[in-house]
């Protein structure tokens, strides 16, 4: 039974790239186009990891992480932020919200998989 | 020009010369001559001074006029520029913002289509390679299993045939014993017949008293003859059964030889077929391995290309910010708001989401955009 990862990004091309990298490593993938869409998909099924963008319409990534931490079934689900933001202050904001890792775009798939395996293990 | 007029300039030219002339005519003394000469020199001095003052005044007037013209021209240019800027803000900038928006939409849609297409290719390559391998494994496994089961069935058939031959051989031995026993019975019947004959002779000698015994002797003799005939019939049948057994044995031996030969041929053919199939499979495996290697290479190339396509996300963000800023600026110009350039730049800076935007802003404006000088060195941080 492969582990399931939720990808949250408003860019479909980024979702595709992340999806290819994760599927190639044997993970199952669910996609959402922003924080609101992602919350609507957290309906009880087991999610082992969330990979989320920061700057998105409707609901940004930091707010999304805070909302996830309020959900009883998902408050312990690790979240990895994947964003163009490289500012440490922004990263610390993400960490304070509950994110477990921070990767700056453009990313290299092996690096993403390395972080994912650390978070899921 | 009135501001440049002095007291000296108000005195009519030639006044001093006229006074000097009157003094010379009326007085005519040396003192008067000296005074007249002084007045004449004064007249020359005043004339020279007035000339200089006039020149300076004219020059000042010309300069002032020039500056005024320049000022008017500048005001006119500023007015024209302001009107142009207003028109640009009202008409051109919304068009540029719209065109940037279109560019973002088109590039995003095309890039999505492209990445999904590439994703499909990568998936298909994985499926082809894994499907080909799985199919081969099932195929060779099934063929081997079926051929070996046929071979095993043939071997079992030959074994059963051998066991049947053995049983027939055993039956043949039994029938030989039966024949021997039948011959013994025949021999006993002959001896019984002789005994019955002797008994009949002895009964005849006894006369009337041996008549009953003679009847018994005749019956015994009949039974002996009958037993002899049955023994002969048994022997005949046993001989026929033996002949049939012999025939069966010969045929069974012949069949066994043929089956053995067929079995050997079948086994050899099976080995040949399996060998050929394994050789073919080895070639196909080599081809599949090559295909897998090539597919993996293509997949990696496509994945690398896909990674490069992440630029679209950053470009969309940067162009989105440019679009938002143009829209804001256009609204400000259209509403004739006072342009607070510093405030506008600060607002622009607050919207940036990429390092390249902040660096460009700092480089071009000299204003440090971010107080945070710490950047993630390798673009990754894990907080575990």
């Amino acid at each position: 039974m492969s582990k399931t990862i939720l990808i949250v990004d408003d860019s479909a091309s980024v979702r595709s790239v992340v999806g290819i990298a994760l599927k190639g490593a044997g993970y199952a993938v669910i996609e959402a186009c922003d924080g609101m869409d992602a919350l609507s998909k957290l309906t009880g099924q087991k999610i082992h990891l969330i990979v989320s963008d920061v700057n998105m319409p409707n609901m940004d990534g930091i707010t999304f992480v805070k909302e996830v931490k309020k959900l009883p079934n998902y408050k312990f689900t690790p979240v990895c932020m994947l964003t163009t933001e490289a500012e440490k202050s922004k990263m610390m904001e993400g960490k304070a919200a509950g994110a477990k890792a921070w990767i700056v775009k453009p990313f290299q798939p092996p690096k993403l998989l390395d972080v994912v395996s650390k978070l899921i293990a | 020009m009135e501001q440049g007029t002095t007291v000296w300039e108000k005195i009519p030219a030639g006044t001093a010369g006229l006074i000097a002339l009157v003094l010379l005519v009326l007085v005519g003394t040396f003192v008067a001559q000296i005074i007249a000469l002084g007045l004449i020199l004064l007249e020359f001095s005043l004339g020279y001074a007035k000339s200089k003052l006039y020149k300076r005044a004219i020059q000042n007037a010309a300069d002032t006029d020039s500056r005024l013209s320049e000022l008017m021209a500048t005001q006119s240019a500023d007015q024209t520029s302001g009107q142009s800027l207003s028109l640009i803000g009202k008409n051109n900038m919304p068009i540029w913002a719209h065109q940037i928006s279109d560019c973002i939409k088109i590039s995003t849609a095309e890039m999505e289509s492209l990445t999904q297409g590439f994703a499909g290719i990568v998936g298909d390559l994985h499926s082809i390679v894994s499907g080909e391998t799985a199919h081969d494994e099932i195929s060779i496994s099934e063929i081997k299993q079926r051929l070996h089961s046929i071979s095993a069935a043939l071997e079992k058939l030959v074994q059963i045939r051998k066991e049947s031959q053995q049983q027939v051989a055993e039956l043949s031995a039994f029938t030989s014993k039966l024949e021997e026993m039948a011959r013994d019975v025949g021999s006993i019947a002959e001896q019984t017949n002789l005994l019955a004959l002797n008994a009949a002779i002895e009964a005849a000698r006894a006369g009337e008293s041996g008549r009953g015994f003679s009847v018994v002797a005749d019956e015994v003799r009949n039974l002996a003859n009958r037993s002899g005939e049955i023994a002969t019939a048994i022997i005949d049948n046993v001989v026929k059964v033996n002949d049939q057994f012999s025939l069966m044995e010969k045929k069974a031996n012949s069949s066994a030889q043929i089956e053995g030969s067929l079995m050997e041929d079948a086994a050899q053919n099976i080995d040949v077929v399996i060998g050929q199939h394994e050789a073919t499979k080895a070639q196909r495996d080599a081809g599949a391995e090559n295909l897998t290697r090539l597919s993996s290479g293509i997949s990696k190339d496509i994945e690398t290309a896909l990674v490069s396509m992440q630029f679209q996300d950053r470009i969309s963000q940067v162009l989105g910010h440019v679009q938002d800023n143009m829209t804001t600026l256009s609204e400000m110009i259209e509403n004739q708001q006072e342009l607070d350039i510093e405030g506008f730049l600060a607002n622009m800076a607050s919207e940036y989401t990429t390092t390249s935007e902040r660096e460009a802003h700092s480089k071009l404006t000299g204003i440090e955009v971010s107080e945070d000088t710490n950047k993630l060195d390798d673009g990754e941080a894990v907080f575990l």
Side-chain angles (χ1 to χ4, degrees):
Chain A
M1 186 70 182
S2 57
K3 293 184 176 176
T4 303
I5 298 175
L6 174 62
I7 303 169
V8 191
D9 201 304
D10 58 325
S11 167
S13 56
V14 171
R15 291 200 303 272
S16 289
V17 175
V18 176
I20 287 171
L22 295 177
K23 286 177 192 170
Y27 297 107
V29 162
I30 300 171
E31 294 185 14
C33 62
D34 57 47
M36 292 291 284
D37 187 28
L39 285 175
S40 73
K41 291 184 176 174
L42 297 176
T43 54
Q45 65 173 313
K46 179 68 180 172
I47 302 287
H48 296 85
L49 175 72
I50 297 170
V51 177
S52 176
D53 189 13
V54 171
N55 299 298
M56 294 182 289
N58 299 322
M59 183 186 285
D60 66 88
I62 302 291
T63 308
F64 169 63
V65 176
K66 290 176 182 171
E67 291 299 318
V68 169
K69 296 300 163 191
K70 294 176 187 171
L71 300 174
N73 289 338
Y74 298 100
K75 61 183 176 184
F76 297 118
T77 304
V79 182
C80 171
M81 308 308 293
L82 182 62
T83 173
T84 56
E85 285 284 3
E87 303 280 301
K88 272 193 178 170
S89 57
K90 199 79 180 175
M91 185 188 77
M92 295 315 291
E93 195 182 335
K95 183 182 178 183
K100 290 291 181 187
W102 191 277
I103 298 174
V104 177
K105 296 177 193 171
F107 69 94
Q108 291 299 321
K111 189 169 281 186
L112 172 69
L113 292 175
D114 183 45
V115 173
V116 166
S117 64
K118 282 178 187 168
L119 294 178
I120 282 186
Chain B
M1 284 200 286
E2 287 296 323
Q3 288 176 346
T5 306
T6 63
V7 176
W8 300 108
E9 290 174 54
K10 292 178 181 175
I11 299 170
T15 302
L18 186 61
I19 293 169
L21 187 60
V22 170
L23 284 173
L24 277 174
V25 171
L26 294 178
V27 183
T29 62
F30 178 74
V31 173
Q33 287 174 346
I34 293 299
I35 291 170
L37 186 61
L39 287 172
I40 288 167
L41 287 172
L42 180 64
E43 175 71 23
F44 277 122
S45 299
L46 285 172
Y48 180 73
K50 284 173 82 174
S51 171
K52 291 287 284 181
L53 285 170
Y54 278 131
K55 281 183 182 175
R56 189 181 299 168
I58 289 167
Q59 183 63 42
N60 286 340
D63 290 346
T64 305
D65 188 51
S66 175
R67 281 200 293 272
L68 190 61
S69 298
E70 284 176 8
L71 187 63
M72 287 174 72
T74 304
Q75 283 177 342
S76 176
D78 285 348
Q79 194 174 5
T80 306
S81 297
Q83 287 171 348
S84 300
L85 187 61
S86 178
L87 287 172
I88 288 170
K90 188 176 180 181
N91 299 319
N92 297 46
M93 291 181 79
I95 293 171
W96 294 336
H98 185 77
Q99 286 168 347
I100 287 172
S101 173
D102 281 350
C103 286
I104 293 171
K105 285 177 187 170
I106 291 167
S107 65
T108 301
E110 293 300 320
M111 201 56 69
E112 284 175 10
S113 172
L114 204 57
T115 50
Q116 283 172 3
F118 277 137
I121 291 170
V122 171
D124 289 346
L125 284 171
H126 286 311
S127 299
I128 287 168
V129 173
S130 58
E132 181 79 15
T133 308
H135 180 71
D136 274 356
E137 291 301 325
I138 291 167
S139 179
I140 190 74
S141 171
E142 279 185 357
I143 288 169
K144 276 186 174 179
Q145 192 177 356
R146 288 177 185 180
L147 289 176
H148 283 141
S149 69
I150 291 169
S151 179
L154 285 172
E155 280 180 6
K156 195 170 183 180
L157 198 65
V158 169
Q159 185 61 33
I160 290 169
R161 176 77 72 180
K162 281 181 180 174
E163 288 174 6
S164 298
Q165 265 182 282
Q166 185 65 33
Q167 286 172 349
V168 168
E170 287 174 5
L171 279 173
S172 183
F174 279 124
T175 53
S176 295
K177 285 182 181 176
L178 281 174
E179 186 182 353
E180 194 178 328
M181 287 166 73
R183 288 187 190 284
D184 288 344
V185 169
S187 176
I188 291 167
E190 280 179 8
Q191 290 175 7
T192 305
N193 191 26
L194 284 173
L195 284 173
L197 185 61
N198 290 330
I201 292 166
E202 291 299 325
R205 273 187 201 163
E208 195 60 29
S209 60
R211 191 175 298 271
F213 189 71
S214 176
V215 173
V216 173
D218 286 342
E219 285 303 317
V220 170
R221 195 176 165 196
N222 287 336
L223 285 172
N225 287 335
R226 180 79 179 138
S227 298
E229 286 170 4
I230 290 171
T232 304
I234 289 171
I235 290 166
D236 287 345
N237 285 324
V238 168
V239 168
K240 284 178 185 175
V241 169
N242 270 339
D243 289 344
Q244 287 297 319
F245 277 150
S246 297
L247 193 61
M248 280 177 66
E249 195 174 359
K250 282 179 185 174
K251 284 185 178 177
N253 286 333
S254 176
S255 295
Q257 283 181 347
I258 292 168
E259 284 169 2
S261 177
L262 284 173
M263 181 62 209
E264 285 179 10
D265 288 347
Q268 285 176 353
N269 285 334
I270 287 170
D271 288 342
V272 168
V273 168
I274 290 175
Q276 285 177 343
H277 193 84
E278 282 180 341
T280 307
K281 184 182 176 300
Q283 286 180 339
R284 289 176 62 184
D285 284 348
E289 191 178 340
N290 196 30
L291 183 65
T292 304
R293 191 168 44 76
L294 288 172
S295 299
S296 299
I298 293 169
S299 293
K300 285 196 183 301
D301 289 344
I302 293 174
E303 284 171 11
T304 305
L306 285 170
V307 170
S308 301
M309 285 179 185
Q310 293 177 74
F311 77 89
Q312 185 271 330
D313 182 40
R314 281 179 295 158
I315 284 177
S316 290
Q317 289 189 42
V318 173
L319 287 178
H321 296 148
V322 172
Q323 182 195 358
D324 291 344
N325 291 328
M326 287 181 77
T327 303
T328 305
L329 189 59
S330 174
E331 287 170 357
M332 288 172 71
I333 292 170
E334 193 174 350
N335 297 331
Q336 296 183 330
Q337 291 177 5
E338 187 179 349
L339 292 179
D340 175 12
I341 299 301
E342 286 185 7
F344 186 71
L345 285 171
N347 187 54
M348 280 171 61
S350 69
E351 299 294 326
Y352 294 146
T353 55
T354 64
T355 303
S356 61
E357 286 175 296
R358 295 187 179 98
E359 287 177 350
H361 191 106
S362 300
K363 184 179 176 185
L364 295 172
T365 63
I367 302 168
E368 191 61 46
V369 170
S370 173
E371 294 176 359
D372 185 2
T373 54
N374 293 320
K375 304 285 189 298
L376 292 172
D377 295 332
D378 58 355
E380 173 196 341
V382 179
F383 314 132
L384 290 175

